[in-house]
Amino acid sequence: LRDPGFDEKTFVAEMQALAKLAHTGVVGFLHHFMQFRKLHLVMEHCPGGSLRTAIEQGPLPIDKAIQAVRNVASTLRFVHQHDIVHHDIKPENLLFAADGTLKVGDFGVANLNGGTRVYMAPELFMPAPVSSKDPRIDVYALGVTLLELVSGDLPFWDKSAEEMLQMKIGQDFLPDGLPAWLQEILLKAMHPTPELRFQSMQDFSEALESRY
């Protein structure tokens, strides 16, 4: 873990604080050590793979995708209540424990306004400052993840940064064939204006539960 301006002490302190929360939906942080002037983290082993592995054969059934997203939303709601925003929600970071529990892992960019471009909210590409503790950043990324789970792909992968941003701002990304109620939820979760997005993970989860 090396980045310009990366504060190792602060990062480790946040990871230790997260570990103390001991939430079953968060991949456990065991300890850390320095080797070759690099910080290494020792995390809980999740042998069941990730949601990325699960969708490599194609889209998930809508009911399974919704169950997975609601589980993640529940975990993130808890994390957000402790002023931690993940910033890099995507299928690779959603891991299955040995008992099948879906866990959120890789808090390496938590509260740093970083992330993976395809899943990042549009406001993070704008010059105006964005609070690193705004939970709506994770709401957007989880919306992108839901879109990928139910469609098996994302339309952003082969686009330039400018093309992708325009698609996100214009909400030109829904595939054909999705139920109208699910399209409505995806458009709200991935709204380019944070104030018009689901304002919390609870709002997002409740919308999925009620509409489905």
Side-chain angles (χ1 to χ4, degrees), residues 94-116:
L94 305 175
L95 309 170
F96 291 100
D99 63 358
T101 300
L102 187 59
K103 293 176 175 273
V104 181
D106 196 359
F107 278 82
V109 294
N111 289 353
L112 292 179
N113 268 347
T116 303

Side-chain angles (χ1 to χ4, degrees), residues 15-45:
M15 292 296 293
Q16 290 171 334
L18 185 64
K20 289 179 181 178
L21 301 179
H23 192 280
T24 57
V26 175
V27 175
F29 169 60
L30 303 178
H31 62 91
H32 69 282
F33 62 93
M34 297 294 297
Q35 186 174 33
F36 304 117
R37 300 180 65 187
K38 290 187 177 181
L39 175 63
H40 297 261
L41 307 180
V42 181
M43 309 296 294
E44 172 189 1
H45 178 49

Side-chain angles (χ1 to χ4, degrees), residues 155-170:
F156 309 129
W157 289 117
D158 60 347
K159 302 296 187 296
S160 68
E162 180 62 29
E163 289 172 328
M164 181 182 64
L165 183 58
Q166 290 306 311
M167 291 175 70
K168 290 186 174 187
I169 292 174

Side-chain angles (χ1 to χ4, degrees), residues 39-191:
L39 175 63
H40 297 261
L41 307 180
V42 181
M43 309 296 294
E44 172 189 1
H45 178 49
C46 292
S50 69
L51 274 179
R52 169 64 62 207
T53 303
I55 61 173
E56 284 179 348
Q57 303 303 316
L60 297 184
I62 289 177
D63 60 337
K64 290 187 176 181
I66 289 176
Q67 180 181 6
V69 167
R70 291 194 66 222
N71 288 343
V72 173
S74 177
T75 298
L76 290 175
R77 177 188 175 193
F78 175 84
V79 171
H80 291 166
Q81 289 171 342
H82 293 81
D83 289 330
I84 298 173
V85 175
H86 189 283
H87 281 270
D88 200 19
I89 294 298
K90 57 184 179 181
E92 288 89 338
N93 289 339
L94 305 175
L95 309 170
F96 291 100
D99 63 358
T101 300
L102 187 59
K103 293 176 175 273
V104 181
D106 196 359
F107 278 82
V109 294
N111 289 353
L112 292 179
N113 268 347
T116 303
R117 178 175 293 178
V118 168
Y119 300 89
M120 289 168 62
E123 63 266 26
L124 294 173
F125 296 90
M126 305 300 181
V130 178
S131 170
S132 63
K133 295 186 178 182
D134 187 342
R136 296 172 298 189
I137 294 170
D138 283 351
V139 168
Y140 190 96
L142 189 57
V144 179
T145 298
L146 176 57
L147 173 60
E148 188 170 19
L149 294 180
V150 297
S151 63
D153 198 7
L154 287 173
F156 309 129
W157 289 117
D158 60 347
K159 302 296 187 296
S160 68
E162 180 62 29
E163 289 172 328
M164 181 182 64
L165 183 58
Q166 290 306 311
M167 291 175 70
K168 290 186 174 187
I169 292 174
Q171 294 204 295
D172 179 23
F173 47 66
L174 290 180
D176 296 330
L178 293 181
W181 64 267
L182 183 53
Q183 294 185 42
E184 179 182 332
I185 287 176
L186 286 167
L187 289 174
K188 188 171 180 65
M190 297 175 63
H191 201 287

